[in-house]
């Protein structure tokens, strides 16, 4: 159902089914489509409470019909992720679209959210189907294994999946080594078995140069 046209446009072919996508990301469609605005941060009462407590900003729309819809957002690179009953953790600003049957929610992330100014929760996508995530520049997919843990600059982090343990540490970071750090800095560390998606560009952060 999901396919890329180039690296920056997502085409979704629908035969009466639905897709959830970032509000305002549709650039064209053919056939017959119906659109409905959704609230992000999770579904149901629990999702409403989470959004109220965290201020999580993830505005989605549901597109349902027959035909093809094309989605894009600020010429960002798009990456397709297949889920087989597992869970994907992704920054809300990096989530473009999901199969209508996938469940979206929010999960506590602790220090990383505070260091980035994106709230203390991250977006989760779970179930069977495809998700499209965005990156500023072509994303790199890095494998984490028990023998090889991975440390990531929070500003370059996009998403991760698999059986990974995530922790946070302050102190020396990549920019600190170059003498460019202007405040307290943080790193993200992943251990276990899974994949981490990083982008070759850093988003703005507030707790020092992270």
């Amino acid at each position: 159902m999901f396919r890329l046209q180039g690296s920056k446009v997502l085409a979704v072919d629908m035969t009466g089914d639905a897709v959830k996508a970032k509000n305002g990301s549709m650039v064209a469609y053919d056939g017959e489509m119906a659109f409905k605005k959704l609230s992000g941060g999770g579904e149901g009462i629990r999702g409403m409470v989470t959004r109220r407590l965290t201020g999580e900003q993830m505005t989605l729309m549901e597109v349902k019909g027959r035909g093809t819809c094309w989605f894009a957002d600020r010429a960002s690179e798009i990456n397709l992720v297949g889920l087989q009953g597992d869970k994907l953790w992704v920054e809300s600003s990096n989530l473009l679209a999901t199969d209508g049957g996938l469940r979206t929610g929010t999960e506590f992330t602790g220090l990383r959210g505070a260091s980035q100014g994106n709230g203390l929760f991250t977006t989760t996508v779970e179930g069977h189907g495809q998700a499209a995530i965005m990156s500023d520049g072509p994303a790199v997919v890095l494998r984490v294994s028990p023998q090889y843990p991975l440390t990531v600059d929070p500003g370059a982090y996009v998403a991760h999946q698999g059986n990974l343990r995530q922790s946070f540490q302050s102190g020396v970071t990549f920019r600190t080594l170059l003498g460019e750090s202007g405040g307290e800095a943080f790193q993200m560390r992943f251990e276990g078995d899974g994949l981490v998606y990083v982008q070759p560009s850093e988003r703005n952060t507030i707790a020092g140069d992270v």
Side-chain angles (χ1 to χ4, degrees), residues 28-157:
Y29 73 91
D30 63 22
E32 297 293 329
M33 299 289 170
F35 303 90
K36 180 173 67 174
K37 186 176 180 180
L38 303 173
S39 294
E43 295 151 346
I45 298 297
R46 182 178 179 183
M48 292 173 62
V49 172
T50 300
R51 291 193 300 277
R52 180 169 295 180
L53 291 177
T54 67
E56 175 77 7
Q57 298 297 317
M58 185 180 66
T59 306
L60 299 175
M61 61 180 178
E62 182 184 71
V63 184
K64 187 175 183 178
R66 297 180 180 275
T68 301
C69 253
W70 288 269
F71 301 93
D73 186 53
R74 295 173 295 178
S76 298
E77 299 281 338
I78 301 172
N79 311 270
L80 298 183
V81 180
L83 298 177
Q84 302 296 326
D86 51 328
K87 183 185 294 187
L88 173 73
W89 290 261
V90 57
E91 290 292 336
S92 61
S93 60
N94 292 96
L95 180 62
L96 178 63
T98 72
D99 280 342
L102 290 175
R103 300 181 300 278
T104 57
T106 54
E107 189 166 304
F108 183 69
T109 60
L111 182 59
R112 180 177 59 79
S115 70
Q116 290 186 230
N118 289 345
L120 294 176
F121 285 69
T122 195
T123 298
T124 59
V125 182
E126 190 173 7
H128 290 82
Q130 285 186 297
I133 61 177
M134 299 179 292
S135 57
D136 186 1
V140 177
V141 185
L142 302 175
R143 164 68 66 177
V144 180
S145 67
Q147 296 80 17
Y148 296 99
L150 181 70
T151 300
V152 176
D153 186 321
Y157 168 82

Side-chain angles (χ1 to χ4, degrees), residues 3 8 14 18 20 24 92 102 166 169 175 181 188:
R3 55 188 172 88
K8 300 180 180 181
M14 287 181 280
K20 291 182 286 190
S92 61
L102 290 175
Q166 184 180 355
Q169 54 194 27
R175 289 188 181 183
S181 179
M188 302 171 63

Side-chain angles (χ1 to χ4, degrees), residues 109 111-112 115-116 143-155 157 159-160 163-170 172-174 186-193 195-196 198:
T109 60
L111 182 59
R112 180 177 59 79
S115 70
Q116 290 186 230
R143 164 68 66 177
V144 180
S145 67
Q147 296 80 17
Y148 296 99
L150 181 70
T151 300
V152 176
D153 186 321
Y157 168 82
H160 73 274
N163 185 22
L164 293 176
R165 299 181 303 279
Q166 184 180 355
S167 60
F168 312 95
Q169 54 194 27
S170 60
V172 175
T173 66
F174 307 101
F186 301 88
Q187 294 175 332
M188 302 171 63
R189 182 176 174 87
F190 294 93
E191 298 175 274
D193 187 12
L195 302 174
V196 178
V198 298

